[in-house]
Amino acid sequence: MNQATRELIGRFSPMWTNKQVWEFDQLNEDLRFDVIYVKPQEYEDSLWKSKSAYPDSEIRDMVVRTFDHMLDGEEIWISNVNDRKMDEKHIPYLMAVMADVMIEEEICLNFRIEHKCFVATIDSDVDVIDCKEFFEEFYHLATGFNYDTDTGIPEDETEAEMYLTRLQEEFDEKMKSVLGDKYLPGNNDPDTINAK
């Protein structure tokens, strides 16, 4: 995660849950944005009227359909419709939607505000630790938990450990019944480095 991304996430933390995104979509049924794809350092105002522009777009659908542009190293620039700038209230929504689109492929993004637009790019310099750090910021997008709200985990450290262990064991049992021997208990990655 680069510095601009870290600062933007910090400014709007905690990131939205899927429920918050869904509720925002319900309250703003016709929410659409103007979008352009730009090669790094080649932004010009005229691009908003070019063939790389996607005016008046539903963001999730448009990003999924045109994802190859990002894979080719282009940046996605998003603004309010006919405005060429982004309302600040839409930034946490856009970060959550963009991260959600990328979660399945585990593609990390960088975010920034430039020329008053919201800009997202694939982070091609990412390593495993960076990727973990990025998706931890969006952890509750998948789980629905915000860290700063009461999740029912006991305050006492020993009780909390027992509670979480029990939850993990219940989850393990459920997954074993579905996946059998393919499931790795404790949701651990195999230790291929030290495997005999």
Side-chain angles (χ1 to χ4, degrees):
M1 229 184 335
N2 66 20
Q3 193 60 33
T5 305
R6 190 171 274 111
E7 284 170 10
L8 209 54
I9 286 173
R11 194 163 127 210
F12 292 101
S13 225
M15 296 292 99
W16 284 16
T17 65
N18 272 329
K19 182 174 185 281
Q20 287 173 294
V21 171
W22 180 83
E23 286 170 349
F24 194 79
D25 282 334
Q26 300 310 300
L27 293 170
N28 301 279
E29 281 183 46
D30 300 320
L31 185 61
R32 298 175 81 76
F33 299 95
D34 286 346
V35 180
I36 53 172
Y37 281 101
V38 179
K39 289 186 174 136
Q41 282 100 39
E42 293 187 17
Y43 172 81
E44 292 175 13
D45 265 359
S46 61
L47 290 171
W48 292 104
K49 297 195 183 305
S50 72
K51 64 178 173 44
S52 65
Y54 295 83
D56 197 24
S57 295
E58 192 281 310
I59 197 68
R60 187 184 296 268
D61 177 60
M62 198 276 324
V63 169
V64 169
R65 282 187 298 105
T66 61
F67 183 60
D68 285 350
H69 288 287
M70 291 185 81
L71 288 176
D72 291 339
E74 292 182 53
E75 301 175 333
I76 186 168
W77 287 57
I78 307 171
S79 79
N80 295 335
V81 174
N82 297 322
D83 208 7
R84 295 195 191 160
K85 69 178 183 187
M86 179 53 59
D87 278 349
E88 191 166 281
K89 69 179 181 182
H90 292 138
I91 293 171
Y93 169 80
L94 288 170
M95 284 196 288
V97 168
M98 292 296 293
D100 190 41
V101 168
M102 304 301 167
I103 272 177
E104 203 166 303
E105 302 300 325
E106 294 186 358
I107 293 172
C108 300
L109 298 171
N110 280 319
F111 302 126
R112 70 180 190 275
I113 303 297
E114 192 170 323
H115 294 284
K116 298 182 180 174
C117 296
F118 177 77
V119 183
T121 59
I122 290 177
D123 189 346
S124 51
D125 298 327
V126 75
D127 62 21
V128 175
I129 293 164
D130 293 328
C131 202
K132 180 177 181 287
E133 188 181 50
F134 178 80
F135 283 111
E136 277 176 354
E137 292 294 341
F138 293 93
Y139 173 77
H140 41 279
L141 189 64
T143 64
F145 286 130
N146 280 331
Y147 290 123
D148 61 350
T149 58
D150 183 17
T151 57
I153 297 170
E155 289 290 318
D156 179 74
E157 199 173 323
T158 309
E159 286 178 30
E161 199 170 310
M162 287 166 48
Y163 173 80
L164 293 170
T165 302
R166 193 185 83 240
L167 284 183
Q168 183 66 57
E169 285 168 356
E170 287 171 6
F171 180 78
D172 286 344
E173 285 306 311
K174 185 174 155 191
M175 293 309 290
K176 270 187 224 161
S177 68
V178 176
L179 296 173
D181 292 340
K182 288 188 220 161
Y183 180 66
L184 300 164
N187 204 19
N188 295 319
D189 291 324
D191 187 0
T192 50
I193 293 169
N194 297 314
K196 297 273 183 256

